[in-house]
Short mmCIF file of all heavy atoms in Angstrom, two decimals:
data_model
loop_
_atom_site.label_atom_id
_atom_site.label_comp_id
_atom_site.label_asym_id
_atom_site.label_seq_id
_atom_site.Cartn_x
_atom_site.Cartn_y
_atom_site.Cartn_z
N MET A 1219 -8.04 -4.58 -11.54
CA MET A 1219 -6.64 -4.58 -11.14
C MET A 1219 -6.48 -5.45 -9.89
O MET A 1219 -7.26 -5.36 -8.95
CB MET A 1219 -6.20 -3.15 -10.84
CG MET A 1219 -4.86 -3.11 -10.13
SD MET A 1219 -4.40 -1.49 -9.53
CE MET A 1219 -4.08 -0.70 -11.07
N ASN A 1220 -5.46 -6.27 -9.91
CA ASN A 1220 -5.14 -7.06 -8.73
C ASN A 1220 -4.35 -6.18 -7.77
O ASN A 1220 -3.27 -5.71 -8.11
CB ASN A 1220 -4.32 -8.28 -9.14
CG ASN A 1220 -4.03 -9.21 -7.98
OD1 ASN A 1220 -4.13 -8.81 -6.83
ND2 ASN A 1220 -3.68 -10.42 -8.29
N ASP A 1221 -4.89 -5.94 -6.60
CA ASP A 1221 -4.24 -5.06 -5.62
C ASP A 1221 -3.32 -5.82 -4.68
O ASP A 1221 -2.80 -5.27 -3.73
CB ASP A 1221 -5.27 -4.26 -4.83
CG ASP A 1221 -6.20 -5.14 -4.01
OD1 ASP A 1221 -5.95 -6.35 -3.87
OD2 ASP A 1221 -7.20 -4.60 -3.51
N GLY A 1222 -3.10 -7.10 -4.94
CA GLY A 1222 -2.21 -7.89 -4.10
C GLY A 1222 -2.87 -8.50 -2.90
O GLY A 1222 -2.25 -9.24 -2.15
N GLY A 1223 -4.13 -8.18 -2.69
CA GLY A 1223 -4.82 -8.71 -1.51
C GLY A 1223 -4.43 -7.95 -0.26
O GLY A 1223 -3.83 -6.88 -0.31
N SER A 1224 -4.75 -8.51 0.87
CA SER A 1224 -4.49 -7.85 2.15
C SER A 1224 -3.02 -7.89 2.51
O SER A 1224 -2.37 -8.92 2.41
CB SER A 1224 -5.29 -8.54 3.26
OG SER A 1224 -6.66 -8.40 3.03
N ALA A 1225 -2.50 -6.75 2.94
CA ALA A 1225 -1.11 -6.70 3.40
C ALA A 1225 -1.02 -7.22 4.84
O ALA A 1225 -0.09 -7.92 5.18
CB ALA A 1225 -0.59 -5.27 3.32
N PHE A 1226 -1.98 -6.86 5.65
CA PHE A 1226 -1.97 -7.25 7.06
C PHE A 1226 -3.34 -7.71 7.50
O PHE A 1226 -3.99 -7.05 8.32
CB PHE A 1226 -1.51 -6.07 7.93
CG PHE A 1226 -0.16 -5.54 7.55
CD1 PHE A 1226 -0.04 -4.37 6.85
CD2 PHE A 1226 0.98 -6.25 7.86
CE1 PHE A 1226 1.19 -3.88 6.48
CE2 PHE A 1226 2.23 -5.78 7.50
CZ PHE A 1226 2.34 -4.58 6.80
N PRO A 1227 -3.81 -8.84 6.95
CA PRO A 1227 -5.13 -9.30 7.39
C PRO A 1227 -5.10 -9.66 8.86
O PRO A 1227 -4.05 -10.00 9.42
CB PRO A 1227 -5.38 -10.53 6.52
CG PRO A 1227 -4.04 -10.98 6.10
CD PRO A 1227 -3.17 -9.76 6.05
N LEU A 1228 -6.22 -9.57 9.48
CA LEU A 1228 -6.31 -9.81 10.92
C LEU A 1228 -7.49 -10.72 11.20
O LEU A 1228 -8.58 -10.51 10.68
CB LEU A 1228 -6.50 -8.46 11.62
CG LEU A 1228 -6.60 -8.44 13.14
CD1 LEU A 1228 -5.31 -8.93 13.78
CD2 LEU A 1228 -6.92 -7.04 13.60
N VAL A 1229 -7.25 -11.72 11.98
CA VAL A 1229 -8.33 -12.59 12.44
C VAL A 1229 -8.43 -12.40 13.94
O VAL A 1229 -7.49 -12.64 14.68
CB VAL A 1229 -8.05 -14.07 12.10
CG1 VAL A 1229 -9.15 -14.96 12.65
CG2 VAL A 1229 -7.90 -14.26 10.60
N ILE A 1230 -9.58 -11.92 14.36
CA ILE A 1230 -9.81 -11.66 15.78
C ILE A 1230 -10.49 -12.90 16.37
O ILE A 1230 -11.54 -13.31 15.89
CB ILE A 1230 -10.66 -10.40 15.98
CG1 ILE A 1230 -9.95 -9.20 15.34
CG2 ILE A 1230 -10.96 -10.16 17.45
CD1 ILE A 1230 -10.79 -7.95 15.27
N PRO A 1231 -9.86 -13.48 17.39
CA PRO A 1231 -10.45 -14.69 17.98
C PRO A 1231 -11.87 -14.44 18.47
O PRO A 1231 -12.21 -13.32 18.86
CB PRO A 1231 -9.52 -14.99 19.17
CG PRO A 1231 -8.26 -14.26 18.88
CD PRO A 1231 -8.66 -13.05 18.06
N PRO A 1232 -12.67 -15.49 18.45
CA PRO A 1232 -14.07 -15.32 18.85
C PRO A 1232 -14.20 -14.94 20.32
O PRO A 1232 -13.54 -15.49 21.18
CB PRO A 1232 -14.69 -16.68 18.58
CG PRO A 1232 -13.57 -17.63 18.44
CD PRO A 1232 -12.34 -16.85 18.08
N MET A 1233 -15.03 -13.95 20.54
CA MET A 1233 -15.36 -13.57 21.92
C MET A 1233 -16.82 -13.88 22.19
O MET A 1233 -17.22 -14.05 23.31
CB MET A 1233 -15.06 -12.08 22.15
CG MET A 1233 -13.60 -11.75 21.98
SD MET A 1233 -13.25 -10.04 22.33
CE MET A 1233 -12.98 -10.12 24.08
N ASP A 1234 -17.59 -13.92 21.11
CA ASP A 1234 -19.02 -14.19 21.25
C ASP A 1234 -19.40 -15.40 20.40
O ASP A 1234 -20.53 -15.55 19.99
CB ASP A 1234 -19.84 -12.97 20.85
CG ASP A 1234 -19.58 -12.55 19.41
OD1 ASP A 1234 -18.73 -13.17 18.74
OD2 ASP A 1234 -20.23 -11.60 18.96
N GLY A 1235 -18.39 -16.22 20.09
CA GLY A 1235 -18.63 -17.39 19.26
C GLY A 1235 -18.43 -17.13 17.78
O GLY A 1235 -18.54 -18.03 16.97
N HIS A 1236 -18.12 -15.89 17.40
CA HIS A 1236 -17.93 -15.54 16.00
C HIS A 1236 -16.53 -14.97 15.78
O HIS A 1236 -16.14 -14.05 16.49
CB HIS A 1236 -18.96 -14.50 15.55
CG HIS A 1236 -20.37 -15.00 15.59
ND1 HIS A 1236 -21.06 -15.16 16.77
CD2 HIS A 1236 -21.20 -15.39 14.61
CE1 HIS A 1236 -22.27 -15.62 16.51
NE2 HIS A 1236 -22.39 -15.78 15.20
N THR A 1237 -15.82 -15.53 14.84
CA THR A 1237 -14.50 -15.01 14.49
C THR A 1237 -14.69 -13.82 13.56
O THR A 1237 -15.50 -13.86 12.65
CB THR A 1237 -13.66 -16.09 13.78
OG1 THR A 1237 -13.53 -17.21 14.65
CG2 THR A 1237 -12.29 -15.58 13.41
N THR A 1238 -13.93 -12.78 13.79
CA THR A 1238 -14.00 -11.58 12.97
C THR A 1238 -12.77 -11.53 12.07
O THR A 1238 -11.64 -11.70 12.54
CB THR A 1238 -14.05 -10.32 13.84
OG1 THR A 1238 -15.19 -10.41 14.70
CG2 THR A 1238 -14.14 -9.06 13.00
N HIS A 1239 -12.98 -11.31 10.79
CA HIS A 1239 -11.89 -11.16 9.82
C HIS A 1239 -11.86 -9.70 9.38
O HIS A 1239 -12.87 -9.16 8.94
CB HIS A 1239 -12.11 -12.06 8.60
CG HIS A 1239 -12.12 -13.50 8.95
ND1 HIS A 1239 -10.99 -14.28 8.93
CD2 HIS A 1239 -13.11 -14.32 9.34
CE1 HIS A 1239 -11.28 -15.51 9.28
NE2 HIS A 1239 -12.58 -15.56 9.55
N VAL A 1240 -10.70 -9.08 9.49
CA VAL A 1240 -10.52 -7.70 9.06
C VAL A 1240 -9.51 -7.72 7.92
O VAL A 1240 -8.40 -8.21 8.09
CB VAL A 1240 -10.02 -6.81 10.22
CG1 VAL A 1240 -9.82 -5.38 9.76
CG2 VAL A 1240 -10.99 -6.87 11.39
N ARG A 1241 -9.91 -7.19 6.77
CA ARG A 1241 -9.07 -7.25 5.58
C ARG A 1241 -7.80 -6.42 5.72
O ARG A 1241 -6.74 -6.80 5.29
CB ARG A 1241 -9.87 -6.80 4.36
CG ARG A 1241 -9.12 -6.95 3.07
CD ARG A 1241 -10.04 -6.71 1.88
NE ARG A 1241 -9.43 -7.16 0.65
CZ ARG A 1241 -8.71 -6.41 -0.15
NH1 ARG A 1241 -8.50 -5.15 0.13
NH2 ARG A 1241 -8.20 -6.91 -1.25
N GLY A 1242 -7.90 -5.26 6.28
CA GLY A 1242 -6.73 -4.38 6.38
C GLY A 1242 -6.43 -3.71 5.04
O GLY A 1242 -7.18 -3.83 4.09
N MET A 1243 -5.31 -3.01 4.97
CA MET A 1243 -4.95 -2.32 3.73
C MET A 1243 -4.47 -3.32 2.69
O MET A 1243 -4.07 -4.43 3.03
CB MET A 1243 -3.87 -1.27 3.99
CG MET A 1243 -2.50 -1.85 4.23
SD MET A 1243 -1.17 -0.63 4.27
CE MET A 1243 -1.63 0.37 5.63
N THR A 1244 -4.53 -2.90 1.43
CA THR A 1244 -4.07 -3.78 0.37
C THR A 1244 -2.55 -3.74 0.28
O THR A 1244 -1.89 -2.79 0.75
CB THR A 1244 -4.64 -3.36 -1.00
OG1 THR A 1244 -4.09 -2.09 -1.36
CG2 THR A 1244 -6.16 -3.31 -0.97
N LEU A 1245 -2.00 -4.76 -0.35
CA LEU A 1245 -0.55 -4.79 -0.57
C LEU A 1245 -0.15 -3.61 -1.45
O LEU A 1245 0.90 -3.00 -1.24
CB LEU A 1245 -0.16 -6.12 -1.22
CG LEU A 1245 1.32 -6.39 -1.37
CD1 LEU A 1245 2.04 -6.30 -0.02
CD2 LEU A 1245 1.54 -7.76 -1.99
N ARG A 1246 -1.00 -3.24 -2.40
CA ARG A 1246 -0.71 -2.09 -3.27
C ARG A 1246 -0.61 -0.81 -2.44
O ARG A 1246 0.31 0.00 -2.64
CB ARG A 1246 -1.81 -1.94 -4.32
CG ARG A 1246 -1.58 -0.80 -5.29
CD ARG A 1246 -2.65 -0.80 -6.38
NE ARG A 1246 -2.37 0.20 -7.39
CZ ARG A 1246 -3.07 1.32 -7.56
NH1 ARG A 1246 -4.12 1.58 -6.79
NH2 ARG A 1246 -2.73 2.18 -8.50
N ASP A 1247 -1.53 -0.61 -1.50
CA ASP A 1247 -1.47 0.57 -0.63
C ASP A 1247 -0.21 0.55 0.23
O ASP A 1247 0.43 1.58 0.45
CB ASP A 1247 -2.71 0.66 0.26
CG ASP A 1247 -3.96 1.04 -0.51
OD1 ASP A 1247 -3.85 1.71 -1.55
OD2 ASP A 1247 -5.05 0.66 -0.06
N TRP A 1248 0.15 -0.62 0.73
CA TRP A 1248 1.36 -0.74 1.56
C TRP A 1248 2.60 -0.37 0.74
O TRP A 1248 3.44 0.41 1.19
CB TRP A 1248 1.48 -2.15 2.12
CG TRP A 1248 2.79 -2.42 2.79
CD1 TRP A 1248 3.80 -3.19 2.32
CD2 TRP A 1248 3.25 -1.90 4.04
NE1 TRP A 1248 4.85 -3.19 3.19
CE2 TRP A 1248 4.53 -2.40 4.26
CE3 TRP A 1248 2.68 -1.06 4.98
CZ2 TRP A 1248 5.27 -2.09 5.39
CZ3 TRP A 1248 3.43 -0.75 6.11
CH2 TRP A 1248 4.69 -1.26 6.31
N PHE A 1249 2.70 -0.94 -0.48
CA PHE A 1249 3.84 -0.62 -1.33
C PHE A 1249 3.88 0.87 -1.64
O PHE A 1249 4.94 1.50 -1.61
CB PHE A 1249 3.78 -1.40 -2.64
CG PHE A 1249 4.17 -2.85 -2.54
CD1 PHE A 1249 3.81 -3.73 -3.55
CD2 PHE A 1249 4.90 -3.35 -1.48
CE1 PHE A 1249 4.17 -5.07 -3.51
CE2 PHE A 1249 5.26 -4.69 -1.41
CZ PHE A 1249 4.90 -5.55 -2.43
N ALA A 1250 2.73 1.47 -1.94
CA ALA A 1250 2.69 2.90 -2.26
C ALA A 1250 3.12 3.73 -1.05
O ALA A 1250 3.85 4.71 -1.20
CB ALA A 1250 1.29 3.30 -2.71
N GLY A 1251 2.68 3.35 0.12
CA GLY A 1251 3.08 4.08 1.33
C GLY A 1251 4.58 4.01 1.57
O GLY A 1251 5.21 5.00 1.97
N GLN A 1252 5.16 2.84 1.30
CA GLN A 1252 6.61 2.69 1.47
C GLN A 1252 7.35 3.53 0.44
O GLN A 1252 8.37 4.16 0.75
CB GLN A 1252 7.00 1.22 1.35
CG GLN A 1252 6.45 0.36 2.47
CD GLN A 1252 6.94 0.82 3.83
OE1 GLN A 1252 8.14 0.84 4.09
NE2 GLN A 1252 6.02 1.21 4.68
N ALA A 1253 6.84 3.55 -0.80
CA ALA A 1253 7.46 4.37 -1.85
C ALA A 1253 7.38 5.85 -1.48
O ALA A 1253 8.34 6.60 -1.66
CB ALA A 1253 6.80 4.10 -3.19
N LEU A 1254 6.23 6.27 -0.97
CA LEU A 1254 6.05 7.66 -0.57
C LEU A 1254 7.01 8.02 0.57
O LEU A 1254 7.63 9.10 0.56
CB LEU A 1254 4.61 7.93 -0.15
CG LEU A 1254 4.29 9.35 0.30
CD1 LEU A 1254 4.57 10.36 -0.81
CD2 LEU A 1254 2.84 9.44 0.76
N ALA A 1255 7.16 7.14 1.53
CA ALA A 1255 8.09 7.41 2.64
C ALA A 1255 9.51 7.59 2.12
O ALA A 1255 10.24 8.47 2.59
CB ALA A 1255 8.02 6.27 3.66
N GLY A 1256 9.89 6.77 1.14
CA GLY A 1256 11.22 6.91 0.56
C GLY A 1256 11.39 8.23 -0.16
O GLY A 1256 12.42 8.90 -0.03
N GLN A 1257 10.36 8.64 -0.90
CA GLN A 1257 10.42 9.93 -1.58
C GLN A 1257 10.55 11.08 -0.59
O GLN A 1257 11.36 11.99 -0.77
CB GLN A 1257 9.16 10.16 -2.42
CG GLN A 1257 9.05 9.29 -3.64
CD GLN A 1257 7.78 9.62 -4.40
OE1 GLN A 1257 7.68 10.69 -4.99
NE2 GLN A 1257 6.82 8.72 -4.38
N LEU A 1258 9.76 11.02 0.46
CA LEU A 1258 9.78 12.10 1.46
C LEU A 1258 11.11 12.15 2.21
O LEU A 1258 11.54 13.21 2.65
CB LEU A 1258 8.62 11.94 2.43
CG LEU A 1258 7.23 12.16 1.83
CD1 LEU A 1258 6.15 11.79 2.84
CD2 LEU A 1258 7.06 13.59 1.35
N ALA A 1259 11.76 11.01 2.36
CA ALA A 1259 13.04 10.96 3.07
C ALA A 1259 14.17 11.54 2.22
O ALA A 1259 15.16 12.00 2.77
CB ALA A 1259 13.36 9.52 3.45
N HIS A 1260 13.99 11.56 0.90
CA HIS A 1260 15.10 11.96 0.03
C HIS A 1260 14.84 13.21 -0.80
O HIS A 1260 15.76 13.75 -1.39
CB HIS A 1260 15.47 10.81 -0.91
CG HIS A 1260 16.02 9.64 -0.17
ND1 HIS A 1260 17.26 9.64 0.41
CD2 HIS A 1260 15.48 8.45 0.13
CE1 HIS A 1260 17.48 8.50 1.02
NE2 HIS A 1260 16.40 7.75 0.87
N ASP A 1261 13.62 13.65 -0.86
CA ASP A 1261 13.30 14.83 -1.68
C ASP A 1261 13.08 16.06 -0.80
O ASP A 1261 12.59 15.95 0.31
CB ASP A 1261 12.02 14.59 -2.50
CG ASP A 1261 12.25 13.59 -3.62
OD1 ASP A 1261 13.41 13.33 -3.95
OD2 ASP A 1261 11.25 13.08 -4.15
N SER A 1262 13.43 17.20 -1.35
CA SER A 1262 13.11 18.45 -0.68
C SER A 1262 11.62 18.71 -0.85
O SER A 1262 11.05 18.48 -1.91
CB SER A 1262 13.91 19.58 -1.32
OG SER A 1262 13.41 20.82 -0.90
N LEU A 1263 10.98 19.18 0.19
CA LEU A 1263 9.55 19.45 0.12
C LEU A 1263 9.24 20.88 -0.32
O LEU A 1263 8.10 21.27 -0.40
CB LEU A 1263 8.91 19.17 1.48
CG LEU A 1263 8.98 17.72 1.94
CD1 LEU A 1263 8.33 17.58 3.31
CD2 LEU A 1263 8.32 16.79 0.95
N GLU A 1264 10.29 21.65 -0.63
CA GLU A 1264 10.08 23.05 -1.02
C GLU A 1264 9.21 23.16 -2.26
O GLU A 1264 8.32 23.98 -2.33
CB GLU A 1264 11.44 23.72 -1.28
CG GLU A 1264 12.27 23.90 -0.04
CD GLU A 1264 13.64 24.45 -0.37
OE1 GLU A 1264 13.87 24.92 -1.50
OE2 GLU A 1264 14.50 24.40 0.52
N ASN A 1265 9.50 22.39 -3.28
CA ASN A 1265 8.76 22.47 -4.54
C ASN A 1265 7.96 21.19 -4.77
O ASN A 1265 7.77 20.76 -5.89
CB ASN A 1265 9.73 22.69 -5.71
CG ASN A 1265 10.48 23.99 -5.56
OD1 ASN A 1265 9.88 25.01 -5.24
ND2 ASN A 1265 11.77 23.96 -5.77
N CYS A 1266 7.47 20.63 -3.70
CA CYS A 1266 6.77 19.35 -3.74
C CYS A 1266 5.37 19.50 -4.30
O CYS A 1266 4.63 20.40 -3.93
CB CYS A 1266 6.72 18.80 -2.32
SG CYS A 1266 5.49 17.55 -2.05
N ASP A 1267 5.01 18.61 -5.21
CA ASP A 1267 3.64 18.49 -5.70
C ASP A 1267 3.10 17.20 -5.09
O ASP A 1267 3.44 16.10 -5.54
CB ASP A 1267 3.62 18.44 -7.22
CG ASP A 1267 2.22 18.25 -7.79
OD1 ASP A 1267 1.33 17.76 -7.08
OD2 ASP A 1267 2.03 18.57 -8.97
N ALA A 1268 2.32 17.33 -4.03
CA ALA A 1268 1.84 16.16 -3.29
C ALA A 1268 1.07 15.19 -4.18
O ALA A 1268 1.21 13.97 -4.05
CB ALA A 1268 0.99 16.60 -2.11
N GLY A 1269 0.27 15.72 -5.08
CA GLY A 1269 -0.49 14.85 -5.99
C GLY A 1269 0.42 14.03 -6.87
O GLY A 1269 0.19 12.83 -7.08
N GLU A 1270 1.46 14.65 -7.40
CA GLU A 1270 2.40 13.92 -8.25
C GLU A 1270 3.17 12.88 -7.45
O GLU A 1270 3.43 11.78 -7.92
CB GLU A 1270 3.37 14.87 -8.96
CG GLU A 1270 4.33 14.18 -9.91
CD GLU A 1270 3.67 13.26 -10.93
OE1 GLU A 1270 2.56 13.56 -11.42
OE2 GLU A 1270 4.26 12.21 -11.25
N MET A 1271 3.54 13.23 -6.22
CA MET A 1271 4.24 12.26 -5.37
C MET A 1271 3.35 11.05 -5.09
O MET A 1271 3.81 9.90 -5.11
CB MET A 1271 4.69 12.91 -4.07
CG MET A 1271 5.81 13.89 -4.25
SD MET A 1271 6.37 14.60 -2.69
CE MET A 1271 7.48 13.32 -2.16
N ALA A 1272 2.07 11.28 -4.86
CA ALA A 1272 1.13 10.18 -4.61
C ALA A 1272 0.98 9.32 -5.86
O ALA A 1272 1.03 8.08 -5.78
CB ALA A 1272 -0.22 10.73 -4.17
N ARG A 1273 0.83 9.96 -7.02
CA ARG A 1273 0.69 9.20 -8.27
C ARG A 1273 1.95 8.38 -8.54
O ARG A 1273 1.87 7.20 -8.92
CB ARG A 1273 0.40 10.14 -9.44
CG ARG A 1273 -1.04 10.67 -9.43
CD ARG A 1273 -1.35 11.50 -10.65
NE ARG A 1273 -0.64 12.78 -10.66
CZ ARG A 1273 -1.05 13.86 -10.00
NH1 ARG A 1273 -2.15 13.84 -9.28
NH2 ARG A 1273 -0.34 14.97 -10.05
N GLU A 1274 3.11 8.96 -8.32
CA GLU A 1274 4.38 8.24 -8.52
C GLU A 1274 4.48 7.07 -7.55
O GLU A 1274 4.96 6.00 -7.91
CB GLU A 1274 5.57 9.19 -8.35
CG GLU A 1274 6.91 8.52 -8.52
CD GLU A 1274 7.16 7.95 -9.91
OE1 GLU A 1274 6.44 8.30 -10.87
OE2 GLU A 1274 8.09 7.13 -10.04
N SER A 1275 4.03 7.26 -6.33
CA SER A 1275 4.06 6.17 -5.34
C SER A 1275 3.23 4.99 -5.81
O SER A 1275 3.64 3.83 -5.68
CB SER A 1275 3.54 6.67 -3.99
OG SER A 1275 4.41 7.66 -3.48
N TYR A 1276 2.06 5.26 -6.40
CA TYR A 1276 1.23 4.17 -6.90
C TYR A 1276 1.80 3.57 -8.19
O TYR A 1276 1.65 2.36 -8.42
CB TYR A 1276 -0.23 4.61 -7.07
CG TYR A 1276 -0.95 4.48 -5.76
CD1 TYR A 1276 -1.16 5.58 -4.95
CD2 TYR A 1276 -1.39 3.24 -5.30
CE1 TYR A 1276 -1.79 5.45 -3.71
CE2 TYR A 1276 -2.03 3.10 -4.08
CZ TYR A 1276 -2.22 4.21 -3.29
OH TYR A 1276 -2.84 4.06 -2.07
N ARG A 1277 2.49 4.36 -9.00
CA ARG A 1277 3.17 3.78 -10.16
C ARG A 1277 4.24 2.80 -9.70
O ARG A 1277 4.40 1.71 -10.27
CB ARG A 1277 3.77 4.87 -11.04
CG ARG A 1277 2.75 5.59 -11.91
CD ARG A 1277 3.40 6.49 -12.95
NE ARG A 1277 4.02 7.68 -12.39
CZ ARG A 1277 3.41 8.85 -12.25
NH1 ARG A 1277 2.15 9.00 -12.62
NH2 ARG A 1277 4.05 9.88 -11.74
N ILE A 1278 4.97 3.17 -8.67
CA ILE A 1278 6.00 2.28 -8.12
C ILE A 1278 5.35 1.03 -7.54
O ILE A 1278 5.82 -0.09 -7.77
CB ILE A 1278 6.84 3.03 -7.06
CG1 ILE A 1278 7.68 4.11 -7.73
CG2 ILE A 1278 7.72 2.05 -6.28
CD1 ILE A 1278 8.32 5.10 -6.77
N ALA A 1279 4.26 1.21 -6.80
CA ALA A 1279 3.56 0.06 -6.22
C ALA A 1279 3.07 -0.88 -7.31
O ALA A 1279 3.20 -2.11 -7.18
CB ALA A 1279 2.38 0.55 -5.37
N ASP A 1280 2.53 -0.33 -8.38
CA ASP A 1280 2.05 -1.17 -9.49
C ASP A 1280 3.21 -1.94 -10.12
O ASP A 1280 3.07 -3.11 -10.47
CB ASP A 1280 1.32 -0.33 -10.53
CG ASP A 1280 -0.01 0.20 -10.01
OD1 ASP A 1280 -0.54 -0.34 -9.01
OD2 ASP A 1280 -0.52 1.17 -10.61
N ALA A 1281 4.36 -1.29 -10.25
CA ALA A 1281 5.54 -1.97 -10.80
C ALA A 1281 5.99 -3.09 -9.87
O ALA A 1281 6.41 -4.17 -10.34
CB ALA A 1281 6.67 -0.97 -11.02
N MET A 1282 5.90 -2.87 -8.58
CA MET A 1282 6.28 -3.90 -7.62
C MET A 1282 5.33 -5.10 -7.71
O MET A 1282 5.77 -6.26 -7.68
CB MET A 1282 6.32 -3.33 -6.20
CG MET A 1282 7.44 -2.31 -6.02
SD MET A 1282 7.36 -1.48 -4.43
CE MET A 1282 7.95 -2.76 -3.36
N LEU A 1283 4.03 -4.83 -7.83
CA LEU A 1283 3.07 -5.92 -7.98
C LEU A 1283 3.33 -6.67 -9.28
O LEU A 1283 3.27 -7.91 -9.31
CB LEU A 1283 1.64 -5.39 -7.94
CG LEU A 1283 1.15 -4.92 -6.58
CD1 LEU A 1283 -0.19 -4.21 -6.72
CD2 LEU A 1283 1.03 -6.10 -5.62
N LYS A 1284 3.62 -5.95 -10.34
CA LYS A 1284 3.92 -6.58 -11.63
C LYS A 1284 5.15 -7.47 -11.51
O LYS A 1284 5.17 -8.59 -12.03
CB LYS A 1284 4.10 -5.53 -12.71
CG LYS A 1284 4.29 -6.11 -14.09
CD LYS A 1284 4.36 -5.02 -15.13
CE LYS A 1284 4.52 -5.65 -16.50
NZ LYS A 1284 4.60 -4.63 -17.55
N ALA A 1285 6.17 -6.98 -10.83
CA ALA A 1285 7.40 -7.76 -10.67
C ALA A 1285 7.15 -9.05 -9.89
O ALA A 1285 7.81 -10.06 -10.09
CB ALA A 1285 8.47 -6.92 -9.95
N ARG A 1286 6.14 -9.00 -9.02
CA ARG A 1286 5.76 -10.20 -8.25
C ARG A 1286 4.84 -11.11 -9.06
O ARG A 1286 4.43 -12.16 -8.58
CB ARG A 1286 5.04 -9.79 -6.97
CG ARG A 1286 5.94 -9.16 -5.94
CD ARG A 1286 5.13 -8.62 -4.77
NE ARG A 1286 4.18 -9.59 -4.24
CZ ARG A 1286 4.34 -10.29 -3.11
NH1 ARG A 1286 5.44 -10.12 -2.41
NH2 ARG A 1286 3.43 -11.13 -2.71
N GLY A 1287 4.46 -10.68 -10.27
CA GLY A 1287 3.57 -11.47 -11.10
C GLY A 1287 2.13 -11.38 -10.65
O GLY A 1287 1.33 -12.27 -10.88
N MET A 1288 1.75 -10.26 -10.02
CA MET A 1288 0.41 -10.12 -9.46
C MET A 1288 -0.43 -9.13 -10.24
O MET A 1288 -1.54 -8.82 -9.84
CB MET A 1288 0.49 -9.67 -8.00
CG MET A 1288 1.24 -10.65 -7.13
SD MET A 1288 1.23 -10.15 -5.42
CE MET A 1288 -0.32 -10.85 -4.90
N GLN A 1289 0.07 -8.60 -11.33
CA GLN A 1289 -0.74 -7.62 -12.05
C GLN A 1289 -0.67 -7.87 -13.52
O GLN A 1289 0.28 -8.32 -14.06
CB GLN A 1289 -0.25 -6.22 -11.72
CG GLN A 1289 -1.17 -5.16 -12.17
CD GLN A 1289 -0.67 -3.81 -11.74
OE1 GLN A 1289 0.50 -3.54 -11.78
NE2 GLN A 1289 -1.59 -2.96 -11.34
#
């Protein structure tokens, strides 16, 4: 599965002559986190199934990647 690559890659300037590259979270994880935040902002947590909310967040993220032509 194409996860969209890094959402927030980081290049740390060399301090000892070596540049450090940090991949960061994937674009898929970022999209899922945003979808989850939206669900939590609009849904009551009284009857919340956290596992289902997480799965739905990743379904939304996958749809977003597909819409971008990345999956």
